[in-house]
Amino acid sequence: MSERNKGNGVYQISVGNNEVTDVYCQMTSVSGCQGGGWTMAMKIDGSLSTFKYSSPYWTKKNTYNDDAYGRNGGLDNHEYKGSTYWRTSFKEICVGMKYGGRLRAFSFSYPATSLYDLIADGNYRQTHVGRAQWKSLIYGSSLQRHCNREGFNIQLGRSGHHPRVRFGLVGNEQNHCNSPDSFIGLGADGGLNIWPWCDRNFRPSANAAGNLGQCTTDNGNKNARAMAYILVR
């Protein structure tokens, strides 16, 4: 990493084969992600479909807004995917969500060769962050009380009917994981056709990142579409 900047901002990092690339580095703590040295990998707007579960951006080695507009603003509201998604190994992951003007985040240890290697093949990989940590990302979050399956590539129940997430946690009102209706996470889709069985007055819109809570949750119906961030170090 070059010393072009000493604080938060754009740095050049080596990506092998005598190549360098520009990345945004968060050199100070971000909410629950303590210390600096965090490299931005993705920024996802939950109100858009760019990075929903079925998007090829999760399974291909391509970039999105990897320029001054998408990259340089750091924790702003511009969607972004950098080559760090497949080129950067790490030991820790920082997940953040900005909702209602407030940014909340947490970090955890999960060594990997890249995010691409964790996600692109579609295989489920478990994490052990915990329900409380995921819920802390969204003020007033709401989830069903059971299942609590968390990790990468969570796809349960009927595709297109029940929600699925690339990275996060899902809940169910029944004591199994066969038909989850709620989630907190990133890279999500589904869960929009549950309303006739749960609440005819609650018809959520598509949510690619944030919190969808419905069908006997711990805090009522909720569809919080957040700005979400994945950083690694």
Side-chain angles (χ1 to χ4, degrees):
M1 182 180 293
S2 77
E3 292 299 323
R4 189 192 317 177
N5 299 306
K6 294 183 179 180
N8 302 331
V10 177
Y11 289 76
Q12 283 192 334
I13 63 171
S14 173
V15 291
N17 297 321
N18 295 317
E19 291 184 72
V20 295
T21 188
D22 287 339
V23 298
Y24 180 87
C25 292
Q26 183 71 26
M27 304 304 287
T28 57
S29 298
V30 181
S31 183
C33 302
Q34 298 301 311
W38 295 103
T39 300
M40 185 72 73
M42 298 183 75
K43 300 190 287 186
I44 301 169
D45 186 339
S47 67
L48 303 178
S49 63
T50 313
F51 295 108
K52 66 181 182 179
Y53 191 97
S54 59
S55 168
Y57 283 110
W58 295 104
T59 57
K60 295 184 181 299
K61 294 180 178 180
N62 53 8
T63 62
Y64 184 82
N65 281 343
D66 191 11
D67 52 26
Y69 172 83
R71 177 200 323 114
N72 294 10
L75 298 165
D76 61 12
N77 297 329
H78 298 163
E79 289 197 305
Y80 163 81
K81 176 192 172 188
S83 62
T84 49
Y85 181 76
W86 69 89
R87 284 176 152 176
T88 303
S89 61
F90 52 84
K91 295 181 179 179
E92 296 175 89
I93 300 175
C94 172
V95 184
M97 289 191 184
K98 184 163 55 179
Y99 177 70
R102 183 170 182 177
L103 175 65
R104 296 165 178 244
F106 64 76
S107 64
F108 64 103
S109 176
Y110 204 101
T113 51
S114 70
L115 285 169
Y116 175 88
D117 289 337
L118 287 179
I119 297 172
D121 63 7
N123 292 330
Y124 170 67
R125 292 178 172 87
Q126 187 176 17
T127 59
H128 300 279
V129 175
R131 176 186 173 96
Q133 280 278 52
W134 282 106
K135 289 202 68 179
S136 72
L137 292 177
I138 299 288
Y139 177 77
S141 60
S142 186
L143 281 172
Q144 293 161 299
R145 292 173 173 82
H146 304 294
C147 181
N148 296 309
R149 179 79 56 87
E150 67 166 288
F152 300 94
N153 297 319
I154 306 174
Q155 185 171 357
L156 305 164
R158 284 188 288 164
S159 178
H161 187 75
H162 298 285
R164 53 187 184 168
V165 294
R166 287 293 182 180
F167 183 27
L169 180 146
V170 301
N172 194 13
E173 85 277 18
Q174 298 161 312
N175 196 22
H176 58 69
C177 290
N178 297 332
S179 54
D181 310 308
S182 59
F183 73 83
I184 295 179
L186 309 84
D189 65 13
L192 306 182
N193 301 315
I194 308 298
W195 62 270
W197 295 273
C198 296
D199 185 343
R200 292 183 178 275
N201 297 316
F202 181 65
R203 302 188 185 187
S205 52
N207 186 340
N211 173 210
L212 174 63
Q214 58 185 340
C215 287
T216 317
T217 63
D218 59 4
N219 196 30
N221 293 332
K222 195 173 190 73
N223 188 31
R225 298 188 290 182
M227 190 70 200
Y229 311 90
I230 305 177
L231 303 94
V232 297
R233 71 176 179 190

